[in-house]
Amino acid sequence: MISSPSAASRLSPDAASASLFDQSTLSSLAERLVEAAKRAGADAADAVAVRGVSQGVEVRDGRVEESERSEGDDIGLRVLVGQRQAVVSTNDVSGDGIAKLAERAVAMARVAPDDKYVGLADPSLLARDFPDLDLLDANVPTTAELERRASEAEAAALAVKGVTKSGGASASSGIGGMVLVTSTGFHGSYLRSSQGISMTAIVGDGTNMERDYDYTSAPHASDLASPEEVGRKAGERTVARANPRKVETCKVPVVFDPRVSGSLVGHLVGAVNGASIARKTSFLKDRLGQQLFAKNIRIIDDPLRRRGLRSQTFDAEGVIVRKLAIIDEGVLKSWLLDSATARELGLVTTGHAHRGVSSSPSPGPYNLHLEAGEPTPAELMSDIKQGFYVTDLIGSGVNGVTGDYSRGASGFWIENGKISYAVSEVTIAGHLLEIFKSLVPANDLEFRYGVNAPTVRIEGLTLGGR
């Protein structure tokens, strides 16, 4: 039996929170489900139990507009009969429900089509060490504390000169976790907390209204930006966007603010997802081992980052997870794979399986980041005579099959290396291969999101304006 320590064993939470951190009932339930599946005739099985607890408060104009809380435990069972697979899920297993659920899953698997790639992970790849990544804040904020955070963020935004009204502030917290038990002897569990504060401010009125926002999120409250900082930044960003101008269609250098530059990393990672590669629906399907970026570019996926928003010590098949350089010295080094896509491609899983209770595993990333470069953001822009600084992206006009890129955007015009005036209602277009090739990162990387990147510069994108 390969087993990870429980979250409750590493914490001393208060009595009100202790039950939220105790996964023993879920662990027992998952074990019984796997045993029931074997008795019902499954050749192999795994069970996942997922806990979700969330609470949130929304404030507008100094008053609480909405306050909500939800709690739920869900469980899913995957069974394999030969090369046939079925997945069932429920949030209510009582009485003889476990046996019935297992019998139903096995019956479904027996009539499912054969799939030569399905199966549990190779036991030799299963995680055996479970480092403490400090993902759980034992202090669960009260509703009153969330109200305070949201109210202070709103007050700070409204105090910024030029802000005319509030678009609403919110504060939230949650606990999410998973128990995984497999018939090959793996038993792992994790819990992580999440907390966040956000604020949207508005300037102007009627058709001249502009808005912007700021937010902060982290597993631990101590890692959050203060409510005052969130509100102030939201207000300052909004005021800067007042009275935007239109620009003519042109081809110029485009600089992506860190708030949006991570989207380019996201497009890359979507294209190297093993499922897309296996289906041959990615524009990068024949590019493994090729130079896509400049030689100083590294893009990392790190599931083991302490206090990371998406950190965990094993994947959804129980496979060990490791820090992975997807791009190293500009070269595409790896796909993101789970066991099934790895088998289909003749490779070995990279430990990137994710799953919900009602789905089979599929590949996905953890904590992504583009490593910082050497120039400051100011140096990155210093030689741009005419260019565009993007702070907000709209829509999802990116074709993962062809690599064509076109998105609505707003931001600021760059003149003689300096940000000058606000710009809205434009599109930026190009091809992701050309975007990757010309990408230059600045030195201002911060780890604030699930996908992090510094300010980046891209050459020669088409800006669609008037």
Side-chain angles (χ1 to χ4, degrees):
M1 172 70 73
I2 302 168
S3 181
S4 67
S6 68
S9 68
R10 299 191 298 267
L11 293 169
S12 299
D14 59 62
S17 304
S19 62
L20 299 178
F21 300 152
D22 184 2
Q23 293 174 294
S24 58
T25 300
L26 291 180
S27 295
S28 174
L29 183 57
E31 288 173 352
R32 288 155 52 205
L33 268 173
V34 170
E35 292 167 1
K38 295 286 285 182
R39 287 195 300 270
D43 295 319
D46 62 14
V48 292
V50 176
R51 167 158 294 167
V53 180
S54 66
Q55 58 178 340
V57 171
E58 293 188 10
V59 169
R60 190 189 301 265
D61 298 327
R63 295 180 299 179
V64 175
E65 277 200 333
E66 187 175 350
S67 179
E68 61 181 11
R69 179 183 174 89
S70 66
E71 294 186 22
D73 291 338
D74 298 282
I75 192 156
L77 174 67
R78 178 172 63 136
V79 303
L80 294 111
V81 178
Q83 294 300 121
R84 299 177 179 183
Q85 172 178 272
V87 178
V88 295
S89 64
T90 185
N91 58 7
D92 181 19
V93 179
S94 55
D96 61 353
I98 286 179
K100 288 183 177 179
L101 189 70
E103 289 166 2
R104 178 158 62 93
V106 170
M108 290 168 59
R110 284 176 173 149
V111 297
D114 280 342
D115 183 342
K116 61 183 178 181
Y117 304 117
V118 301
L120 302 188
D122 183 334
S124 68
L125 301 176
L126 296 178
R128 287 169 170 78
D129 297 316
F130 304 92
D132 182 3
L133 302 180
D134 195 13
L135 301 179
L136 197 56
D137 191 333
N139 298 311
V140 179
T142 62
T143 300
E145 170 62 14
L146 295 180
E147 289 179 10
R148 181 193 69 81
R149 294 176 186 178
S151 297
E152 290 182 0
E154 182 180 55
L158 292 173
V160 175
K161 185 177 180 181
V163 172
T164 53
K165 65 177 70 173
S166 168
S170 67
S172 63
S173 72
I175 297 169
M178 182 178 80
V179 174
L180 173 66
V181 175
T182 75
S183 59
T184 51
F186 180 86
H187 186 156
S189 64
Y190 65 84
L191 276 174
R192 60 174 166 237
S193 49
S194 61
Q195 302 195 44
I197 305 167
S198 67
M199 173 63 201
T200 300
I202 298 171
V203 64
D205 52 32
T207 57
N208 293 321
M209 189 181 297
E210 296 290 332
R211 68 179 64 213
D212 211 322
Y213 66 93
D214 191 41
Y215 74 94
T216 180
S217 59
H220 287 256
S222 59
D223 292 332
L224 294 172
S226 70
E228 295 85 351
E229 182 181 354
V230 171
R232 177 179 54 78
K233 283 186 175 179
E236 291 172 350
R237 285 172 168 168
T238 302
V239 171
R241 289 182 60 162
N243 303 310
R245 305 183 197 177
K246 304 289 192 299
V247 294
E248 301 292 339
T249 296
C250 55
K251 199 167 187 176
V252 293
V254 174
V255 178
F256 286 71
D257 183 87
R259 193 167 60 166
V260 292
S261 58
S263 65
L264 299 174
V265 176
H267 299 319
L268 168 77
V269 169
V272 302
N273 185 294
S276 297
I277 302 303
R279 292 193 302 264
K280 301 188 185 303
T281 56
S282 168
F283 73 100
L284 295 179
K285 64 183 185 297
D286 301 317
R287 300 276 181 171
L288 191 65
Q290 293 187 16
Q291 190 91 34
L292 300 183
F293 295 80
K295 287 191 175 181
N296 65 325
I297 301 297
R298 296 184 83 229
I299 296 177
I300 307 296
D301 189 30
D302 186 3
L304 299 174
R305 182 185 305 146
R306 285 183 62 80
R307 297 195 177 193
L309 282 169
R310 301 176 182 174
S311 297
Q312 57 195 66
T313 55
F314 59 90
D315 80 350
E317 296 178 301
V319 172
I320 189 170
V321 295
R322 297 184 176 91
K323 188 175 182 179
L324 174 69
I326 301 170
I327 300 292
D328 193 12
E329 295 185 343
V331 175
L332 176 58
K333 292 291 189 178
S334 179
W335 311 128
L336 300 188
L337 303 171
D338 65 350
S339 293
T341 55
R343 293 186 190 107
E344 188 168 357
L345 295 169
L347 300 169
V348 177
T349 176
T350 57
H352 281 85
H354 295 255
R355 69 176 288 193
V357 294
S358 59
S359 61
S360 57
S362 60
Y366 301 104
N367 300 302
L368 292 161
H369 73 272
L370 164 65
E371 288 193 350
E374 295 183 359
T376 66
E379 290 168 343
L380 204 65
M381 292 187 289
S382 62
D383 66 338
I384 297 178
K385 300 294 185 185
Q386 300 284 321
F388 183 51
Y389 186 89
V390 185
T391 59
D392 202 17
L393 291 166
I394 305 160
S396 55
V398 180
N399 189 320
V401 178
T402 66
D404 292 321
Y405 180 95
S406 178
R407 299 194 67 180
S410 59
F412 299 88
W413 195 244
I414 301 170
E415 283 186 344
N416 298 318
K418 303 290 185 182
I419 290 175
S420 52
Y421 54 83
V423 171
S424 65
E425 298 181 12
V426 298
T427 60
I428 49 177
H431 193 279
L432 285 172
L433 285 176
E434 296 303 317
I435 289 172
F436 296 160
K437 189 184 301 182
S438 70
L439 184 148
V440 179
N443 67 351
D444 58 340
L445 175 66
E446 294 182 353
F447 293 99
R448 298 185 59 194
Y449 316 113
V451 182
N452 297 281
T455 303
V456 302
R457 173 174 170 170
I458 308 295
E459 298 301 325
L461 289 180
T462 299
L463 193 70
R466 290 183 296 192

